[in-house]
Amino acid sequence: MRSEYIKINRSKLANLIMHISGKAYSWCLTNSNTELSLPEYALLSRWLKLLQQGVPLAYILGFREFFSRNFWVNSNVLIPRQESELLVEVAINSVTAWESCKFKKKIKILELGTGSGAVIISLVLELIKRGIHVNAHATDLSKNALSVAKNNALWLGADISFSRGNWFDAFKLSKQTFDLIIVNPPYVGLNHSEYLSKRELSFEPKLALYGLNPSSDGMGDFKKIINGLKENTQTGSVLIMEHGCMQKKQIRILLQSSGLSNFEEFNDHSGLPRLVKVRL
Ligand SMILES: C[S@@+](CC[C@H](N)C(=O)[O-])C[C@H]1O[C@@H](n2cnc3c(N)ncnc32)[C@H](O)[C@@H]1O
């Protein structure tokens, strides 16, 4: 590409024009001429500049669709990934299979490291739709991420309580136990070159990608979470945890060495190992 030319992704461009003009996405994608007022054109130019700098589309527009709902996002939260929808699907299937749901018992659910709140909010709303009663709680270490998650919960009408803390330390005094714990921890390691080369990632929070104490293999937070399980779960509780597609073997070794042998592994929709469900 010659230096005076800018490469623009057609679908991203159509997405920006859709939000400015109010026309349908398919219309913006297929029509070669769009009439914009001068302020609309100025906004489009500003957005294109950000896109060219590598700013993710979701941060430019301020939201991302996840599990068929729109979630507010900003640079304080990880942009919810499509792969993480599997976390919601596996959690729904697990809870709906529980006998206790049939007796209207409230299922106690916890999400650790909630970010935008997209995962726990989707799960809560989907369970309510199925007539299941839940008592939901979400945590994060980042105060700014929690305020995004709270706004999303409010705007989408999900009843969730939030607290701030370093993994299970958020409950140190209350010693709560949960039936289901879901978590998508930071798992990018300092030697994961396949992630580090992605320009878009440099706009997302370091805490969400690498964690508080970055490590070469990105396994540090998995270890902390597994270590904290005993105090906040009971026999029969379930942990559903997302991991990087190259970490399946390390996760398996970690679980086995922690005496957790009752687990099931799941691939995402692209066929990559992505999730583990552990029965405690
Ligand atoms: C990979 S992001 C996942 C965000 C969201 N759950 C999702 O799937 O889109 C990890 C989240 O964990 C939070 N986090 C990182 N270290 C943490 C810690 N030590 N204790 C609690 N939360 C932490 C980050 O702020 C971030 O929101």
Side-chain angles (χ1 to χ4, degrees):
M1 192 175 70
R2 284 183 294 171
S3 60
E4 66 268 32
Y5 284 85
I6 295 168
K7 200 165 149 189
I8 301 170
N9 175 300
R10 185 180 277 262
S11 110
K12 286 183 179 171
L13 178 63
N15 224 310
L16 294 181
I17 295 176
M18 170 179 85
H19 285 95
I20 289 176
S21 66
K23 295 208 160 52
Y25 174 74
S26 53
W27 190 95
C28 298
L29 198 59
T30 49
N31 276 271
S32 44
N33 292 310
T34 309
E35 240 176 51
L36 296 177
S37 66
L38 282 180
E40 285 170 339
Y41 179 72
L43 182 61
L44 179 64
S45 309
R46 213 165 49 238
W47 282 357
L48 283 174
K49 211 174 217 169
L50 293 173
L51 208 56
Q52 195 212 342
Q53 288 161 7
V55 179
L57 187 66
Y59 287 157
I60 297 176
L61 297 176
F63 73 90
R64 162 58 64 97
E65 189 188 320
F66 182 84
F67 226 90
S68 305
R69 293 179 185 86
N70 285 334
F71 290 85
W72 301 113
V73 293
N74 62 31
S75 57
N76 293 307
V77 295
L78 187 94
I79 299 165
R81 306 294 202 265
Q82 213 186 343
E83 303 92 87
S84 302
E85 293 190 345
L86 182 67
L87 191 51
V88 182
E89 285 166 24
V90 173
I92 294 171
N93 293 339
S94 304
V95 173
T96 48
W98 287 344
E99 274 295 306
S100 49
C101 290
K102 298 183 187 129
F103 304 113
K104 298 209 179 300
K105 177 185 170 262
K106 272 197 171 182
I107 306 288
K108 283 193 78 182
I109 302 176
L110 166 69
E111 182 183 25
L112 293 169
T114 195
S116 65
V119 173
I120 184 86
I121 294 170
S122 304
L123 178 60
V124 165
L125 296 178
E126 290 300 317
L127 290 176
I128 288 172
K129 223 159 71 178
R130 289 161 175 78
I132 293 171
H133 300 250
V134 294
N135 187 332
H137 201 98
T139 75
D140 208 290
L141 188 58
S142 156
K143 189 169 124 228
N144 292 337
L146 280 176
S147 90
V148 174
K150 283 178 192 167
N151 277 340
N152 277 320
L154 200 65
W155 124 269
L156 288 162
D159 186 11
I160 298 170
S161 56
F162 292 92
S163 54
R164 185 171 174 223
N166 191 346
W167 301 130
F168 287 107
D169 285 357
F171 305 103
K172 220 164 196 161
L173 297 175
S174 60
K175 285 222 163 148
Q176 294 199 56
T177 60
F178 297 89
D179 302 306
L180 173 68
I181 297 175
I182 52 176
V183 58
N184 173 18
Y187 54 68
V188 181
L190 296 174
N191 60 12
H192 289 168
S193 50
E194 71 280 13
Y195 289 109
L196 302 177
S197 57
K198 289 188 180 166
R199 187 161 69 135
E200 288 206 342
L201 288 193
S202 66
F203 293 89
E204 294 190 271
K206 303 262 175 296
L207 181 67
L209 296 169
Y210 308 99
L212 200 53
N213 306 110
S215 60
S216 55
D217 61 2
M219 288 295 294
D221 284 305
F222 291 112
K223 292 177 189 157
K224 286 182 200 143
I225 291 163
I226 300 285
N227 284 340
L229 282 175
K230 237 189 199 144
E231 272 193 58
N232 296 278
T233 54
Q234 60 234 345
T235 307
S237 295
V238 166
L239 165 76
I240 306 175
M241 190 162 67
E242 182 171 326
H243 57 76
C245 59
M246 310 295 281
Q247 290 167 324
K248 175 175 163 172
K249 204 170 155 198
Q250 286 160 290
I251 296 284
R252 197 183 276 178
I253 293 169
L254 174 64
L255 291 173
Q256 285 164 342
S257 65
S258 312
L260 299 166
S261 53
N262 189 354
F263 59 86
E264 213 180 321
E265 296 160 331
F266 296 83
N267 289 353
D268 62 21
H269 297 301
S270 323
L272 297 170
R274 182 67 62 193
L275 215 67
V276 65
K277 174 179 157 184
V278 188
R279 189 165 279 277
L280 298 141

